[in-house]
Structures are given as structure tokens and as C-alpha cells.
């Protein structure tokens, strides 16, 4: 088995794990995370894999539900962000110098402000909750991908085959759709997948700080922030397992992005 | 129809003196002209100016007294010396040909393009095979002038002869103008009616 096949299998495996985590979170019923004082403050055991919290809620079920919310936020926000990046990147490279410098200035501005503060402000202005968070993450993460795409399009525009296409009577629209956009697909996919980890971590940290999702939703950020009060009483499992699973999911997304990059990249495609 | 360069000047670096200075040339329909000269004298640049890929700093390129229209199919088609750069690496060869709308498909067989190449990507063909596609593509119905910039340099002698035969036949049939840019004096005398030495006309 060569390296490319190994990568391919690994990529499929990672995708499967992520999809299963997401589906598991959706399928867990509300009863599984209901309050049950008879089972409060239990240590991790076979019956309660991650233990239970001070209200007797099963932590494993809550964590899975939280991860599924995280994945939703990550996927939706990154997808919106990546689409914004492609549109703005192409607009910047293909239009006049004035528009290009305005867009570059906006990119510098968004990059200059720390994401966390910007997300808190935007999510607060948009009414908090899932919607506010999604908008907040979507409008802050497009900048670096937009830069990359702008540079790619600027390089492509000078290619001889595009000049030939114009001389064969093709319109700007044809050139954009048939010559430029297909070259952007690898950058788009890899940029999108590598954006997931950022989006997920930002969602968790904003929720942890109390500006994101509402407290009754079992998001990882909420679980972690609630657990802070009980850590001093020795309930280490409240923070340990949710934190560990969050980091694992982020790591898996990161690996997925890297694997896709080497699968799509023409320089390693022949391996 | 006639293609005319009217006192054109061009330089890549504006601060230095012009590479091409005050060049006036006229090419008529049905005429076969060679432009020869040493390397670096601006032959390819002249080809790009005549076909509208570059705009002259001074002077004008006129087709029947009118400037070339930047939109729509250009009646002056340039065949570039590097075919691999003139074809989108993500296109299949069939798409490359479809870009030239209304192309007469009988020319494919004459020029030696095989049916099975049409489903391949450019990197799966050799330079010479790609050049045939570039030539076929440039021969679309609206083309009135053909500029061949070192078109056959990368081909073996037999393939060169075959390609030139097809091009000359097609040019004659449609009464097109042909401008050949080359280092090869033998090719120039064999193919063309008139030979222009670029070093002799530059700067006057």
C-alpha cells in the first residue's frame, strides 16, 4: 500500500469519526441528559463513562451533544466564511485598483482586531445564541483565505491561456467560470477544512466566557465554564473529558485538512 | 483585408529607449510574410503587438483602417511558441477545441489530431501534439490573419513539414494572411513570398 492510499484511508476514517460524533450527538434524547439527584457527583465508571455532574446529568451524553453543536457551528460558519473569502478574493483581484486597496484595507482591519473580541461584539450585537455566534465567526474568519485567493487569481490573470481565451472571443464571465474558478477549488476545500478547528475553538471560548450559546444548551464551552466551580471539590472529570474530546475533534479536523491538502496538491498527487 | 502597423513604438521599460521604434508594416490578405532577425530584437513582441496581446506605446495597429476590437473573436490569431502555456492545464483537449466556437472539425484529421487525444489532459500529450491543437484552434472561421511565432521549433523535421503543409493549404483555401516569425532562413524562403529583417526596419 503506498502513501497516497494510506492517506486516503486515514482521511475517510477521520471523516467517519466526525460524522458519527455528530450523529451520536443528535440522536441522544433529552432524557439522557435529564437531572437525576440520586446519581449526582459520580466518578467515571462503566455505567457513566465520563461520570456525572452535581445535578446527576450524564457527562458523556452532554459532551456528545456539545460536540455535535460544535461541529454544526464549525461547519456552517466555516462554509459561509470560505464562500465570503472566495467572492471577496476574486472581486479584489479582478476589479480596479481602488476597490482592491479598499478590500485590502478591510482585510487588514479585520485581521488587526483580535478575533475573540470581534466575535463577542458581533455575537452580542446580533442577539447572542447560535445565530449571533455563527454570524460572528463567519465574518471574522475569511480574511486569510481571501488573501490567498486574491494572490492566486492575480497570478492566474497573467497566464497566456487566459489571454488566448479572450482573443477567441470569450467573455469575462466565461473566463471566470471556466478558467479561474476551477483553479480555486483546492484552495477553497483545504482552506475550508482548516478553518473548522478555529471556528470550533472560538465557539467554545466565547461560550466559556458567557457571550455565546445560552446556558441551557450543553455546549462544550458551557460545560467547561460550569465545571470551574466544582474543580476545587475534586470533580476533575467535569473538565477533563469534555476538554479532551474537544481537543481531539479539533485535532481530527486539522489532520483532515492536512491530508486533503496533500491529496489534492499536484506535487504529491503521483505518490 | 489588410493588417497595418502604423508607426508603432514599444518598450517594456518606459524609462529606457524603445525596443521597437517607429515601425510601419503592411500585410495583405493572401500574402505570406516572414519576419526574421536575431534573438532579442523584438520579433515576438511585434507578433504580440500585431495580434493585440500588447498595446503599443505610440502608433496604432489597424485592421482595414480600424483598430482591433478588444472584445469578440479577434481576426488576427497568434500561435505562440510555447503551446503548454497557451492551454489551460485543467481542460481536457475537447474543451480546448470547444473554446474556438464554430471550428471546422475536418481540420483535426488533416492536422493529425487523433480522436483519443480529445479526452486527455494537456500534460498527457507532448509539446508537438499540443501545438497541433493550438494551430487548429487558431484556424476558427473568423480568423483572417495567422501569426505563427516560432510555431514549429519544438517539432521534428517530418512533423514540421506536415504541419506547415496543412497550414499553408488552409491559408490558401481561405485566402488568409500569414505572418511567420522565425530564426530559420530556410523555412522563411520556403514558405513565404516576402521576407522582412526586423533589424533593418527598426528605428527609422
Amino acid at each position: 500500500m503506498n502513501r497516497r492510499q494510506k492517506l486516503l484511508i486515514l482521511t475517510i476514517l477521520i471523516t467517519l469519526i466526525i460524522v458519527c460524533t455528530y450523529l451520536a450527538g443528535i440522536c441522544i434524547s433529552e432524557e439522557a441528559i435529564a437531572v437525576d439527584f440520586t446519581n449526582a457527583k459520580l466518578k467515571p465508571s462503566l455505567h457513566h463513562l465520563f461520570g456525572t455532574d452535581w445535578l446527576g446529568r450524564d457527562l458523556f451524553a452532554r459532551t456528545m451533544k456539545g460536540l455535535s453543536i460544535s461541529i454544526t457551528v464549525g461547519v456552517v460558519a466555516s462554509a459561509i466564511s470560505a464562500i465570503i473569502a472566495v467572492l471577496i478574493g476574486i472581486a479584489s483581484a479582478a476589479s480596479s485598483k481602488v476597490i482592491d486597496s479598499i478590500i485590502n484595507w478591510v482585510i487588514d482591519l479585520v485581521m488587526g482586531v483580535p478575533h475573540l473580541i470581534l466575535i463577542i461584539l458581533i455575537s452580542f450585537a446580533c442577539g447572542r445564541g447560535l445565530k449571533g455566534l455563527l454570524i460572528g465567526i463567519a465574518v471574522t474568519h475569511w480574511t486569510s483565505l481571501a488573501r490567498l485567493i486574491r494572490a492566486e487569481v492575480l497570478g492566474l490573470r497573467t497566464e497566456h491561456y487566459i489571454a488566448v481565451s479572450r482573443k477567441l472571443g470569450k467573455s469575462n464571465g466565461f473566463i471566470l467560470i471556466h478558467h479561474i474558478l476551477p483553479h480555486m477549488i483546492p484552495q477553497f476545500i483545504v482552506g475550508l477544512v482548516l478553518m473548522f478547528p478555529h471556528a470550533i475553538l472560538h465557539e467554545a471560548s466565547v461560550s466559556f466566557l458567557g457571550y455565546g450559546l445560552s446556558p441551557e444548551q450543553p455546549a462544550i464551552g458551557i460545560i467547561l465554564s460550569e465545571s470551574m466551580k466544582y474543580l476545587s471539590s475534586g470533580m476533575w472529570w467535569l473538565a477533563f473529558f469534555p476538554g479532551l474530546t474537544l481537543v481531539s475533534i479539533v485535532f481530527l479536523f486539522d489532520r483532515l485538512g492536512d491530508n486533503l491538502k496533500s491529496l489534492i496538491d499536484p506535487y504529491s498527487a503521483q505518490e | 483585408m489588410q493588417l497595418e502597423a502604423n508607426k508603432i513604438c514599444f518598450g517594456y521599460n518606459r524609462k529606457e529607449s524603445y525596443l521597437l521604434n517607429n515601425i510601419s508594416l503592411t500585410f495583405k490578405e493572401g500574402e505570406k510574410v516572414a519576419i526574421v532577425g536575431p534573438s532579442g530584437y523584438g520579433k515576438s513582441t511585434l507578433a504580440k503587438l500585431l495580434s493585440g496581446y500588447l498595446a503599443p506605446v505610440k502608433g496604432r495597429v489597424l485592421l482595414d483602417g480600424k483598430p482591433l476590437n478588444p472584445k469578440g473573436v479577434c481576426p488576427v490569431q497568434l500561435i505562440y511558441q510555447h503551446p503548454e502555456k497557451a492551454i489551460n492545464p485543467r481542460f481536457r483537449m475537447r474543451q480546448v477545441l470547444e473554446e474556438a466556437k464554430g471550428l471546422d472539425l475536418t481540420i483535426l484529421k488533416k492536422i493529425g489530431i487523433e480522436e483519443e487525444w480529445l479526452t486527455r489532459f494537456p500534460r498527457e500529450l507532448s509539446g508537438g501534439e499540443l501545438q497541433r491543437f493550438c494551430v487548429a484552434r487558431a484556424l476558427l472561421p473568423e480568423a483572417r490573419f495567422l501569426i505563427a511565432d516560432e510555431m514549429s521549433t519544438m517539432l521534428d523535421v517530418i512533423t514540421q513539414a506536415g504541419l506547415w503543409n496543412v497550414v499553408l493549404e488552409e491559408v490558401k483555401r481561405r485566402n488568409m494572411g500569414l505572418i511567420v516569425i522565425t530564426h530559420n532562413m530556410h523555412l522563411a524562403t520556403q514558405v513565404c513570398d516576402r521576407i522582412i529583417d526586423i533589424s533593418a526596419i527598426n528605428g527609422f
Side-chain angles (χ1 to χ4, degrees):
Chain A
M1 195 189 295
N2 64 23
R3 241 184 69 185
R4 193 176 161 78
Q5 282 166 328
K6 266 186 207 159
L7 264 182
L8 200 64
I9 290 174
L10 205 64
T11 310
I12 294 170
L13 211 65
I14 292 175
T15 318
L16 271 179
I17 295 175
I18 292 172
V19 171
C20 287
T21 315
Y22 174 73
L23 290 178
I26 286 190
C27 296
I28 288 169
S29 63
E30 289 296 322
E31 287 145 40
I33 53 168
V35 175
D36 177 10
F37 287 108
T38 53
N39 283 326
K41 299 183 185 177
L42 291 181
K43 278 191 179 173
S45 63
L46 275 182
H47 201 66
H48 297 286
L49 273 178
F50 291 181
T52 61
D53 63 7
W54 63 99
L55 293 173
R57 295 176 291 191
D58 183 58
L59 202 59
F60 178 71
R62 289 198 83 202
T63 306
M64 292 311 273
K65 262 208 152 358
L67 284 178
S68 133
I69 292 177
S70 292
I71 292 173
T72 317
V73 172
V75 171
V76 175
S78 317
I80 298 172
S81 222
I83 292 169
I84 296 176
V86 169
L87 293 180
I88 289 189
I90 289 177
S92 173
S95 56
S96 67
K97 272 207 167 131
V98 181
I99 295 177
D100 188 28
S101 10
I102 293 176
I103 291 176
N104 268 313
W105 181 79
V106 173
I107 291 178
D108 282 339
L109 186 75
V110 177
M111 276 182 148
V113 182
H115 278 175
L116 204 56
I117 294 174
L118 212 54
I119 295 172
I120 290 173
L121 285 176
I122 294 169
S123 121
F124 206 77
C126 296
R128 296 176 62 185
L130 196 61
K131 193 184 84 185
L133 250 187
L134 279 179
I135 297 174
I137 295 171
V139 300
T140 47
H141 281 69
W142 52 271
T143 45
S144 47
L145 185 59
R147 275 248 157 107
L148 188 77
I149 287 188
R150 172 180 172 271
E152 284 282 328
V153 175
L154 280 181
L156 269 182
R157 270 179 56 182
T158 59
E159 289 285 346
H160 193 76
Y161 57 81
I162 288 185
V164 171
S165 187
R166 204 160 267 142
K167 288 290 162 214
L168 290 171
K170 296 300 173 200
S171 63
N172 283 339
F174 179 93
I175 290 172
L176 179 67
I177 292 171
H178 291 90
H179 286 295
I180 293 183
L181 278 183
H183 277 91
M184 296 301 125
I185 290 172
Q187 272 80 2
F188 176 78
I189 293 175
V190 173
L192 175 72
V193 177
L194 288 178
M195 224 185 269
F196 290 161
H198 284 262
I200 290 174
L201 283 181
H202 273 128
E203 180 268 325
S205 37
V206 174
S207 296
F208 178 84
L209 293 171
Y211 298 101
L213 299 172
S214 54
E216 68 273 9
Q217 274 173 306
I220 300 288
I222 305 269
I223 297 175
L224 288 176
S225 110
E226 283 176 349
S227 73
M228 299 309 280
K229 278 181 271 179
Y230 298 89
L231 280 183
S232 53
S233 58
M235 292 164 72
W236 53 271
W237 59 90
L238 287 185
F240 180 74
F241 288 113
L244 192 69
T245 48
L246 180 68
V247 172
S248 325
I249 285 288
V250 166
F251 175 74
L252 285 180
F253 268 119
D254 200 47
R255 291 297 324 153
L256 184 64
D258 276 344
N259 286 356
L260 277 180
K261 199 154 119 192
S262 25
L263 283 176
I264 296 174
D265 185 19
Y267 293 104
S268 60
Q270 271 89 26
E271 281 178 17
Chain B
M1 248 185 191
Q2 89 175 17
L3 180 67
E4 189 185 345
N6 192 351
K7 293 179 185 165
I8 52 174
C9 301
F10 185 84
Y12 286 98
N13 188 345
R14 300 228 165 161
K15 280 175 194 158
E16 287 170 22
S17 58
Y18 294 130
L19 168 67
L20 296 172
N21 198 358
N22 208 11
I23 288 189
S24 295
L25 290 168
T26 307
F27 306 96
K28 292 201 172 62
E29 210 169 34
E31 197 183 19
K32 288 173 282 188
V33 183
I35 297 175
V36 294
S39 297
Y41 271 59
K43 299 189 298 294
S44 293
T45 307
L46 183 62
K48 284 182 185 169
L49 285 165
L50 287 172
S51 51
Y53 282 85
L54 291 172
V57 181
K58 279 186 202 160
R60 289 194 297 173
V61 175
L62 302 168
L63 185 71
D64 276 352
K66 281 175 278 191
L68 289 172
N69 187 357
K71 282 190 181 148
V73 181
C74 185
V76 185
Q77 287 290 331
L78 172 70
I79 300 167
Y80 196 52
Q81 49 183 322
H82 306 293
E84 65 284 354
K85 285 188 187 164
I87 290 177
N88 186 339
R90 279 173 198 270
F91 271 16
R92 285 186 191 278
M93 298 319 294
R94 191 185 298 282
Q95 285 172 285
V96 173
L97 290 178
E98 279 165 2
E99 256 195 307
K101 219 175 158 199
L103 191 70
D104 178 13
L105 292 175
T106 54
I107 195 152
L108 301 188
K109 202 162 188 184
K110 277 193 252 170
I111 217 163
I113 291 174
E114 284 168 30
E115 184 74 31
E116 57 172 316
W117 295 353
L118 294 179
T119 53
R120 293 201 198 161
F121 282 111
R123 63 169 176 275
E124 294 163 340
L125 292 172
S126 73
E129 288 165 348
L130 285 179
Q131 190 65 298
R132 293 178 212 186
F133 279 90
C134 291
V135 173
R137 184 172 65 168
L139 286 168
L140 75 177
E142 289 90 340
R144 301 306 312 146
F145 282 89
L146 202 62
I147 304 180
D149 182 3
E150 300 280 12
M151 175 180 86
S152 58
T153 325
M154 80 291 291
L155 303 176
D156 66 273
V157 187
I158 294 175
T159 322
Q160 276 193 36
L163 191 66
W164 276 112
N165 277 337
V166 178
V167 170
L168 290 174
E169 189 186 311
E170 197 63 22
V171 162
K172 193 174 175 191
R173 190 174 69 81
R174 297 210 227 160
N175 196 27
M176 293 166 74
L178 177 70
I179 301 165
V180 180
I181 306 233
T182 184
H183 279 115
N184 188 342
M185 274 309 273
H186 300 295
L187 178 73
T189 46
Q190 188 71 39
V191 168
C192 299
D193 319 324
R194 178 153 72 101
I195 296 175
I196 299 170
D197 187 350
I198 196 163
S199 51
I201 58 163
N202 197 359
F204 294 105

